Amino acid sequence: MDAPLIRARGVSRVYRLGGGDVHALRGVDLDIGRGEYCAIMGASGSGKSTFMNLLGALDRPTSGELVIDGEVLQGKRPDELARFRNRSVGFVFQQFNLLPRTTALDNVALPLLYRGWSLKKRRERAEACLRMVGLGERMDHHPSQLSGGQQQRVAIARALSGEPSILLADEPTGALDSQTSEDVMDIFDRLNSDGITLIIVTHEADVGARARRRITFRDGLIVEDAS
Amino acid sequence: MNLMAAIAVALTALRVNALRSFLAILGVIFGVAAVITTVSLAQGARDAVESRIASLGASTLNITAGSRARGGRQGGAGSGTPFSDADVTALRTELDFIAAASGLVQSNVTAVVDGANWPTQIIGSNAEYMDVRDWTLADGRMFTEAETQRSARVAVIGQTTARELFPGGGAVGASVRVNSQPFEIIGVLGDLGAGAFGQDQNDVLLAPVTTVRSRVTGFSRAGVRDPVQQVWVKIAPGFNMELATIELEDYLRVRRNVPPGGQDNFAIRNFADLIRAFNETQRVLGLLLASAGLITLLVGGIGIMNVMLVSVTERTREIGLRLAVGARRRDIRNQFLIESVVLCSAGGVIGLGAGVAVARGIEAFGPAMGLTGLAVSVDPSVALVAIGAAATVGVLFGFYPAMRASRLDPIEALRHE
């Protein structure tokens, strides 16, 4: 069997706050294979967002071993983490986080800017990604000229532009109405069936129901892992 | 991320907030404009000094009789025994480092021709005076030594005098009356420019010293035959000015019977030194003004820093996003640093234009407002320095905001409201 895409062993994360230590994760063991479709669920404060930040290399574990796509993340320097995020991870946020007054095309091309690609190459790739999410006709629109669902599709195109190994979505439908949520989730389903590894953090049951694997966190530990 | 892409990102960010960007650089604009204006004025003043020194000739010395004390009371400059034509001849023949020498007698007179008159200065000299001062002729000829010997009534006039007396031209060959004495005009001087202290050197009427002394000014002094008011000498090329001055002083002390240890009864002046000293005060003033401009520039830098800090706070989420999609800390730092430098450089360019415009305005309208003697000289290198200084301000005052931006935690930044 292939090595898992994500391998976590005894991963913990402790925040040192004024009043004492807060144990957000208490030794998580988890393997996620290539091409999986996972939902990470749990109440707020359960540690799911902390785990998500670790998977996205936005943060480092306090202790434990975390290997993603063959890269050992603990002990990496900030610049190495930035490079890892740029090449291996695509983020989709609840609030879209698109740059205002910037065209959809340039928003999608943003990760490639930090890869040192030429403008022409960046735009070509960004165009292809926008077509993938069905926004080929709105490339020159600014976020303010797009609906919420369209903005989230631009954000998905941005996450795809760097051809990452993992797509991480943090409450991707949290700011959308139910019909738009369906459309966005349809795109995620399609992307996963095309082969991308998809991890969605959500507390919405119907979003979780679409995933083929549901991992539930409580008090910094995985309490349920159902396929 | 390459530099061109970074500059494009910075320009986009600045354009999005165009009004704020403009307000932010106002301080830099004023600072650079102030520096450019003051430096241009100072440079103009310096150029004027150099041309005045050149107009005197760097190798000329002026000698006047010193003060004579009577009963312990000093009589003041010129009260001592005056020099004479004989002294001039002696200097010329006995000191090998003197290339040319002339005694001078001068007076304010009114020159009269048919249908016009003009108050001017008559200068009596010998035939060598043109060489002493490196003056040139525009027309006609200088009077000769022979004409000086026989007190010929001939004159060479300056361009201003010629223009006032003969607006239609034709000065050479005409006759001019000074103190009712007719003089034949035999030459017109070339353009002599402004004098050492800004006076019009072209407003002059030059005639043999013998003629002027006997027929115009009547300058005389008991016991001195053929006296002159001052003597100009030109030191020959290749001789050191200071050594020549010392030798000249020794020679004159002996010739004028100054006892050893006694006070000189004459004064030797090097006008170039005098003018340099006179203009030292102007230079100090210029430095003060330029420092005021630099302080304005620094205050402008603080304005830039303030705006950049606001911008970093406003764009915290953007910074978080950029970090999330792979920007390194130095990419973020450089982005804000480039924004600051681009802002300040734009301020520098606008300030340069404004400064040059103000300097030219002072040059054009200063005389009308009673600001005379102002010269303006805009040096291209000053422009480079000004823009460089503005860019430096951008780096210095943009650095702290840029560092703050680059040190944001991506998770915190993404959560920022």
Side-chain angles (χ1 to χ4, degrees):
Chain A
M1 183 183 147
D2 287 352
L5 181 65
I6 297 169
R7 176 186 153 90
R9 288 293 177 273
V11 168
S12 70
R13 180 70 174 91
V14 181
Y15 294 104
R16 300 193 193 287
L17 298 178
D21 292 353
V22 175
H23 293 263
L25 291 176
R26 302 165 184 268
V28 170
D29 299 328
L30 183 67
D31 285 345
I32 295 177
R34 216 171 275 276
E36 282 203 55
Y37 187 166
C38 302
I40 293 183
M41 312 195 64
S44 55
S46 63
K48 65 179 195 301
S49 291
T50 302
F51 190 64
M52 174 90 173
N53 290 337
L54 290 178
L55 291 183
L58 291 169
D59 194 8
R60 283 175 294 184
T62 308
S63 65
E65 181 191 299
L66 184 59
V67 183
I68 302 176
D69 203 10
E71 302 254 9
V72 179
L73 290 191
Q74 69 269 22
K76 273 204 190 307
R77 287 183 287 110
D79 278 5
E80 293 170 334
L81 289 179
R83 185 185 153 87
F84 175 82
R85 290 195 292 268
N86 186 245
R87 305 202 169 239
S88 300
V89 188
F91 288 97
V92 178
F93 303 95
Q94 180 175 1
Q95 296 300 335
F96 323 139
N97 278 329
L98 299 177
L99 296 186
R101 305 181 192 86
T102 306
T103 61
L105 191 69
D106 286 341
N107 262 296
V108 173
L110 188 65
L112 306 173
L113 181 68
Y114 296 106
R115 209 175 271 193
W117 285 19
S118 70
L119 182 66
K120 186 169 175 284
K121 213 172 150 195
R122 292 202 302 266
R123 291 213 159 139
E124 276 170 11
R125 172 68 189 155
E127 250 187 80
C129 292
L130 277 170
R131 289 192 204 289
M132 253 188 262
V133 298
L135 285 176
E137 307 306 311
R138 297 186 183 267
M139 296 200 241
D140 294 330
H141 287 51
H142 287 188
S144 58
Q145 298 165 311
L146 297 171
S147 71
Q150 288 168 334
Q151 289 187 55
Q152 193 60 303
R153 277 147 70 190
V154 172
I156 294 169
R158 179 180 64 199
L160 294 173
S161 68
E163 298 187 297
S165 314
I166 312 165
L167 199 60
L168 287 177
D170 188 0
E171 304 280 8
T173 58
L176 303 175
D177 62 54
S178 55
Q179 181 52 51
T180 320
S181 295
E182 289 283 315
D183 298 344
V184 165
M185 289 312 296
D186 288 345
I187 292 175
F188 279 129
D189 290 354
R190 202 182 72 226
L191 289 171
N192 177 251
S193 61
D194 288 348
I196 196 159
T197 309
L198 186 61
I199 300 173
I200 299 180
V201 172
T202 184
H203 62 267
E204 290 174 45
D206 51 345
V207 171
R210 287 182 176 241
R212 286 198 284 279
R213 181 177 173 191
R214 276 168 302 283
I215 302 162
T216 310
F217 277 73
R218 189 182 301 150
D219 293 334
L221 287 171
I222 294 173
V223 292
E224 196 187 338
D225 189 347
S227 298
Chain B
M1 180 158 67
N2 64 46
L3 184 66
M4 288 316 291
I7 291 175
V9 169
L11 284 176
T12 307
L14 295 175
R15 208 171 41 232
V16 161
N17 262 312
L19 177 63
R20 192 167 72 190
S21 301
F22 175 70
L23 293 176
I25 59 175
L26 268 184
V28 174
I29 292 176
F30 285 132
V32 169
V35 171
I36 292 284
T37 305
T38 51
V39 169
S40 297
L41 284 172
Q43 182 65 39
R46 197 154 49 238
D47 289 353
V49 168
E50 291 306 323
S51 77
R52 283 170 192 180
I53 289 172
S55 81
L56 281 165
S59 57
T60 51
L61 295 174
N62 169 275
I63 311 166
T64 51
S67 170
R68 168 183 287 181
R70 281 207 185 84
R73 182 178 168 275
Q74 294 284 347
S79 63
T81 306
F83 287 90
S84 67
D85 286 354
D87 290 323
V88 174
T89 308
L91 286 171
R92 187 73 180 81
T93 51
E94 291 178 29
L95 297 178
D96 60 351
F97 56 83
I98 290 181
S102 173
L104 237 57
V105 171
Q106 53 195 17
S107 176
N108 292 322
V109 295
T110 299
V112 182
V113 297
D114 288 337
N117 67 79
W118 180 248
T120 185
Q121 184 183 46
I122 189 166
I123 295 179
S125 74
N126 66 16
E128 276 191 352
Y129 190 55
M130 294 274 291
D131 298 333
V132 173
R133 299 297 301 274
D134 284 329
W135 284 355
T136 55
L137 282 166
D139 197 7
R141 62 174 181 89
M142 177 64 177
F143 48 82
T144 62
E145 185 58 29
E147 283 168 322
T148 309
Q149 291 299 330
R150 61 179 161 85
S151 304
R153 281 178 284 190
V154 289
V156 175
I157 60 176
Q159 298 211 331
T160 302
T161 317
R163 193 174 58 244
E164 295 296 337
L165 291 177
F166 304 99
V172 174
S175 175
V176 60
R177 288 193 307 283
V178 177
N179 276 15
S180 309
Q181 298 290 328
F183 284 77
E184 184 198 350
I185 297 172
I186 58 170
V188 176
L189 293 167
D191 185 5
L192 309 179
F197 300 97
Q199 77 276 24
D200 180 9
Q201 293 197 115
N202 291 317
D203 191 2
V204 72
L205 194 152
L206 195 62
V209 61
T210 46
T211 320
V212 174
R213 192 164 47 214
S214 60
R215 297 186 185 273
V216 180
T217 69
F219 182 64
S220 68
R221 194 64 65 82
V224 180
R225 191 181 147 84
D226 300 333
V228 293
Q229 290 163 331
Q230 50 181 302
V231 177
W232 284 77
V233 299
K234 181 188 178 108
I235 305 302
F239 286 90
N240 178 292
M241 277 297 279
E242 282 176 43
L243 291 179
T245 307
I246 291 167
E247 261 190 73
L248 181 62
E249 185 181 358
D250 287 346
Y251 174 82
L252 288 175
R253 281 174 72 91
V254 173
R255 187 172 169 84
R256 290 168 67 86
N257 303 316
V258 179
Q263 189 195 337
D264 283 355
N265 56 12
F266 56 91
I268 302 174
R269 270 176 295 194
N270 179 338
F271 271 121
D273 288 348
L274 273 181
I275 294 161
R276 285 199 184 96
F278 169 74
N279 283 284
E280 187 65 13
T281 51
Q282 284 194 340
R283 200 178 68 86
V284 170
L285 192 67
L287 271 179
L288 279 175
L289 288 170
S291 350
L294 277 180
I295 290 168
T296 310
L297 192 57
L298 286 184
V299 173
I302 294 169
I304 294 280
M305 174 141 78
N306 191 18
V307 167
M308 291 305 295
L309 283 173
V310 169
S311 173
V312 168
T313 305
E314 270 187 2
R315 287 152 68 192
T316 299
R317 274 170 81 102
E318 175 191 326
I319 295 164
L321 174 79
R322 287 178 184 275
L323 288 168
V325 300
R328 293 163 302 177
R329 295 195 179 287
R330 63 168 168 273
D331 292 326
I332 301 295
R333 185 196 66 204
N334 291 349
Q335 178 189 334
F336 281 91
L337 213 46
I338 287 169
E339 265 181 45
S340 170
V341 171
V342 167
L343 258 185
C344 287
S345 303
V349 171
I350 299 172
L352 172 67
V356 171
V358 170
R360 293 276 175 236
I362 288 174
E363 191 178 39
F365 299 110
M369 296 184 296
L371 296 165
T372 53
L374 282 175
V376 175
S377 168
V378 181
D379 189 340
S381 69
V382 169
L384 285 179
V385 169
I387 293 170
T392 307
V393 164
V395 172
L396 287 180
F397 289 91
F399 196 75
Y400 174 68
M403 285 307 289
R404 260 181 65 150
S406 74
R407 288 191 177 150
L408 287 172
D409 175 57
I411 300 168
E412 295 289 326
L414 280 167
R415 272 195 213 129
H416 187 88
E417 289 306 319

